Amino acid sequence: MPKFAETLLPLSLPGTYTYSIPEGVKLSIGMRVLVPFGRKKIFTAIVVSLHDNEPKGYDVKSILGTLDDKPILRHPQLEFWQWIADYYLCTMGEVYKAAVPSGLKVESETIISVNPDFEESEPGQLTDHERVILDFTSQRGRVQIAEIAKATGFKTVERNVSHLLDIDALHVSERVVDNYRPKTEACVRLAVGRDDEQALHQYFDQLKRAPKQETLLLAYLDMSRWLQSGDVREVSKENLLKRAGVSGAVLNEAVKRGLFEIYKKEINRFAELGSILEEPPKLSDEQQRAYNEIHQSMRQHAITLLHGVTSSGKTSVYMHLIADALGLGKQVLYLVPEIALTTQLTRRLRRVFGDKLLIYHSKFSDNERVDIWKKLLDTSEPCVVIGVRSSVFLPYSNLGLVIVDEEHDSSYKQQDPVPRYNGRNAALILARMHGAKTVLGSATPAIEIYYHALAGHYGLVKLLTRFGDIQMPDVKVIDTIDARKRREMSGLFSNELIDDCRNALKQGEQVILFQNRRGYSPMIRCKECGSVPKCENCDVSLTYHKHSRSLVCHYCGYAIQLPDLCPACQLPGLEIIGYGTERIEDDIEALFPGEKISRMDLDTTRSKNSYDRIIDEFSNHRTNILVGTQMVTKGLDFDAVSIVGILNADTMINFPDFRSHERAFDMLEQVSGRAGRAHKQGTVIIQTSQPDHDVIKFVQAHDYEGFYQHELADRKKFGYPPFTKVINIYLKHRDDATVGELAIRYSNMLRQVFGTRVLGPMAPFIARVQNLYIRQITLKMETTASMTKVKNILRNLYEQMLAADSRMKSVRLYYDVDPV
């Protein structure tokens, strides 16, 4: 039996840690163990290997205990984590922290208590604050530092506690905390054995004068199949009371009488995998052709791109592919970029695949996510998991098909925290490790993906006609500069847009208005002195939110109440500049009084069921105008939408980034696709001050191919993906001069190894966030470069920099591979 275990901790530290295995403890790779780390901390580690090689040079700590009877990971999860750590230039511990639900990571909380033997060595050794802390801790016995801070209101609690620990007035202990709480259900059972017929007859005799309790007993015997052959079925308290038609008080009396016992049973939050309910929708001739071509492509390629225009019916094709995979006994992962999409798709998929459908996203509680994890761990039955990017981390056992819908979408890219992975690219690797096939779908494929498809690395299937032969929407472009000169604008709305919306609403049709800014307005400005209130922590203006009368930073969350006077000149001259979705909602109410309006942005979709509610109201015509940010662009399907208004296309086009034109084209074309989906051609109105811009022209013609060729030529000219691999390196520090100096020194070290592949350093568009000043260095690597080698080189250079300048310890340095 192995004596040592290599373990992975959920920390941003490289490598694994060796612990000795206690006598008699059996471990397997992928099991969770509790281990001590540092002086007093306890963490949940995952066993990654077992061996007999005792480390030299230090005393090996022992594993404190196991948390599982079997592994919580399946093959090839550890291999998949390693790929993410290598490719996205982070540690395996950081991947572990992101991949596994918090409920499966037991950790310790720091608890302090008073040392009963402590005595002041001299008068004045303790401050007044420290005496209060000692008294409070003594009264409570064992407390957390946060409890002391809350109770006392002291600003220096951490410093005071640190001093008390140093002089041994307080002791630190650890309490292991398991955040997972299984869902339980109250069940009822008879308090007699099944073979004790005499006791059962006695109960009936006793209950002759208690008819409600007798009804309860009869209901239980029927539901549990007590008097039939086979096992006794468990009966829930809720179902028993419902069947018997009695109250809980009647059951409580029966329990007191000794007739029943109530016990708790752990249950799964999700239904058992069930049977398929109905056939997938019938495919049109064009969809059938695409479906057949995808199957042909799968014989030759592991990855197939389905380039299907908006409303071409890609989802119906996916459903047939899913049914095929389930028929072969395989599991399916269906990735979508936004939670809003899971809301609409779930209903369609549930009708076809029933309880074989599992949903996984961040709006689920941690307990719900743990239950899905355990469900997949306990079964290899065919099922469909629909979810956002984090779904790639689930423990699949028999993955046969991966579908990445709207594969171009930037929401697949994790920004913060680490790992900054792309869910689409990770899904491609996951599928390869499982030997599964992948289908990527989009009306506006990512430039890199389409490049690989045309080069023959991926299969390519096109579906370029809308379902039912509905025409692509008619795109009108409004020149806002010219319209303002002609006085044909009302605020942010052109007269033409207002008229078209009014006509559509009169005919019982619906309208979507798109503005990629939330809040009421992006800026407040003083008319007298020109001052703009800015965030204390970031180099951005504060966004005005009318509902809460507050000015909010969308980068760090800093917020203040809207002042009555200008903070700079103390005069009452503050004015609102610009439009966010909240202001547009207000203006639309004034323009269309009596019309029901809903808004979909980050502010209105924070709660778990908010997506469902907004989409339900719009789908069922309880609201007829939907105002939203980019959330409304992502594959939502509303039959009655005939008008889509893009209120300001300029904010998307004019952004200093090599992907800005691609993002703008994707967003404009995708939101245009929400118009005229079921019965008639829709209309899209794009308001812009640059009507002759190339991106606008390509959107107006629905010309993805033309846009792709135009963009590819620019990418080749300037050496951007797909011709190179881009890695952005960020350095952050509280002092601007320090980070500027260190960034120059670090970039010079990088140039000694990577040469002209290094660009920068430069201050990004927003150069300070959360009181940290930022510098950006860009690496343009060959597409064939080994990311493992790049990672090792960057690690070595960082350590050299650290040895040369101790200030580097206070710099936060991180990498963003394939930024979007």
Side-chain angles (χ1 to χ4, degrees), residues 130 485 618:
E130 287 169 353
K485 286 180 183 176
F618 198 65

Side-chain angles (χ1 to χ4, degrees), residues 504-505 508-512 618-619 621 623-624 638 640-643:
L505 294 168
E509 296 166 349
Q510 293 177 299
V511 172
I512 291 178
F618 198 65
S619 296
H621 287 261
T623 58
N624 288 318
F638 302 114
V641 173
S642 63
I643 300 291

Side-chain angles (χ1 to χ4, degrees), residues 380-637:
S380 295
E381 292 183 47
C383 62
V384 189
V385 176
I386 181 171
V388 292
R389 60 177 178 259
S390 57
S391 305
V392 298
F393 292 119
L394 287 167
Y396 303 99
S397 60
N398 193 18
L399 195 61
L401 175 65
V402 174
I403 294 169
V404 185
D405 197 16
E406 310 294 346
E407 59 79 19
H408 66 277
D409 201 289
S410 59
S411 297
Y412 282 121
K413 185 69 158 69
Q414 166 83 4
Q415 301 297 341
D416 275 309
V418 180
R420 295 175 177 84
Y421 69 101
N422 187 307
R424 176 199 64 204
N425 296 347
L428 298 180
I429 300 300
L430 179 72
R432 188 181 74 191
M433 289 180 174
H434 280 272
K437 299 296 184 181
T438 304
V439 175
L440 307 173
S442 177
T444 55
I447 297 292
E448 292 95 317
I449 296 295
Y450 202 65
Y451 177 81
H452 285 301
L454 291 182
H457 305 145
Y458 304 161
L460 176 61
V461 176
K462 296 186 178 184
L463 187 55
L464 301 181
T465 57
R466 286 185 143 194
F467 184 76
D469 292 325
I470 301 297
Q471 286 183 291
M472 294 295 288
D474 176 35
V475 179
K476 301 178 184 177
V477 178
I478 305 294
D479 183 343
T480 53
I481 293 176
D482 184 60
R484 289 191 194 283
K485 286 180 183 176
R486 296 171 179 271
R487 298 187 178 181
E488 293 176 353
M489 295 285 290
S490 175
L492 196 60
F493 307 93
S494 63
N495 290 349
E496 188 168 356
L497 175 60
I498 293 169
D499 290 343
D500 283 357
C501 289
R502 185 170 285 122
N503 291 334
L505 294 168
K506 281 180 181 177
Q507 295 173 39
E509 296 166 349
Q510 293 177 299
V511 172
I512 291 178
L513 298 175
F514 170 65
Q515 172 76 343
N516 208 27
R517 283 184 183 274
R518 64 187 174 98
Y520 193 82
S521 73
M523 186 190 302
I524 298 288
R525 184 177 64 195
C526 177
K527 288 186 285 189
E528 305 297 333
C529 70
S531 172
V532 174
K534 292 193 173 181
C535 176
E536 285 188 354
N537 310 314
C538 312
D539 285 342
V540 293
S541 59
L542 295 172
T543 300
Y544 174 46
H545 287 251
K546 184 180 178 183
H547 179 72
S548 57
R549 280 190 58 79
S550 60
L551 298 175
V552 180
C553 173
H554 289 169
Y555 286 84
C556 73
Y558 170 80
I560 58 172
Q561 284 298 297
L562 179 70
D564 294 322
L565 303 176
C566 170
C569 67
Q570 297 299 308
L571 291 174
L574 292 174
E575 63 176 343
I576 294 164
I577 305 294
Y579 287 79
T581 49
E582 196 179 340
R583 184 177 184 183
I584 288 164
E585 184 181 22
D586 270 10
D587 287 3
I588 286 295
E589 284 178 352
L591 286 169
F592 301 102
E595 285 294 345
K596 294 179 180 176
I597 304 162
S598 56
R599 173 162 55 95
M600 184 185 283
D601 57 26
L602 188 61
D603 298 317
T604 62
T605 56
R606 294 187 188 277
S607 64
K608 180 177 178 180
N609 297 315
S610 51
Y611 287 101
D612 291 3
R613 177 182 54 78
I614 293 167
I615 289 170
D616 270 348
E617 287 175 351
F618 198 65
S619 296
N620 296 318
H621 287 261
R622 290 195 292 275
T623 58
N624 288 318
I625 302 175
L626 177 62
V627 177
T629 57
Q630 60 180 342
M631 291 180 183
V632 302
T633 72
K634 303 184 184 219
L636 296 172
D637 189 0

Side-chain angles (χ1 to χ4, degrees), residues 180-185 234 265-273 355 357-359 364 367-379:
Y180 174 62
R181 295 290 178 271
K183 186 175 182 180
T184 58
E185 182 179 53
E234 288 188 294
K265 173 195 172 188
E266 184 176 331
I267 61 170
N268 197 297
R269 287 177 168 82
F270 306 94
E272 291 303 310
L273 299 182
D355 294 333
L357 183 69
L358 300 176
I359 307 142
F364 276 14
N367 286 333
E368 288 173 316
R369 279 180 277 175
V370 170
D371 276 350
I372 291 180
W373 188 285
K374 289 186 169 184
K375 188 177 185 99
L376 284 170
L377 207 58
D378 293 339
T379 180

Side-chain angles (χ1 to χ4, degrees), residues 82-221:
Q82 186 66 63
W83 178 85
I84 287 181
D86 287 345
Y87 189 84
Y88 292 104
L89 306 178
C90 61
T91 67
M92 276 273 279
E94 288 168 328
V95 181
Y96 164 27
K97 191 172 183 179
V100 176
S102 298
L104 292 175
K105 297 191 291 282
V106 179
E107 295 184 3
S108 61
E109 289 180 346
T110 301
I111 307 294
I112 59 172
S113 57
V114 171
N115 177 6
D117 299 325
F118 173 76
E119 294 181 1
E120 282 191 72
S121 59
E122 57 186 37
Q125 184 185 10
L126 300 179
T127 65
D128 290 341
H129 279 193
E130 287 169 353
R131 286 194 178 90
V132 170
I133 290 171
L134 274 181
D135 290 343
F136 177 77
T137 306
S138 180
Q139 292 168 14
R140 298 290 296 272
R142 288 158 50 87
V143 296
Q144 291 179 263
I145 294 174
E147 293 178 63
I148 300 172
K150 186 176 180 181
T152 62
F154 296 160
K155 302 292 185 186
T156 57
V157 167
E158 289 84 358
R159 191 167 68 218
N160 296 144
V161 169
S162 178
H163 179 245
L164 290 168
L165 289 169
D166 289 340
I167 62 175
D168 209 30
L170 294 176
H171 282 166
V172 172
S173 58
E174 295 295 324
R175 178 177 68 195
V176 173
V177 179
D178 185 352
N179 292 317
Y180 174 62
R181 295 290 178 271
K183 186 175 182 180
T184 58
E185 182 179 53
C187 291
V188 179
R189 61 187 169 213
L190 272 181
V192 299
R194 195 178 187 187
D195 55 354
D196 194 346
E197 292 186 18
Q198 185 178 352
L200 189 60
H201 285 300
Q202 287 176 355
Y203 279 136
F204 275 112
D205 291 339
Q206 294 173 24
L207 297 178
K208 285 181 179 177
R209 295 185 179 179
K212 288 187 178 180
Q213 291 183 41
E214 184 179 40
T215 302
L216 198 66
L217 177 57
L218 288 169
Y220 174 82
L221 294 174

Side-chain angles (χ1 to χ4, degrees), residues 14-32:
T16 56
Y17 292 84
T18 309
Y19 290 88
S20 62
I21 303 172
E23 197 71 35
V25 173
K26 293 183 179 180
L27 294 180
S28 299
I29 293 172
M31 284 178 65
R32 294 178 303 158

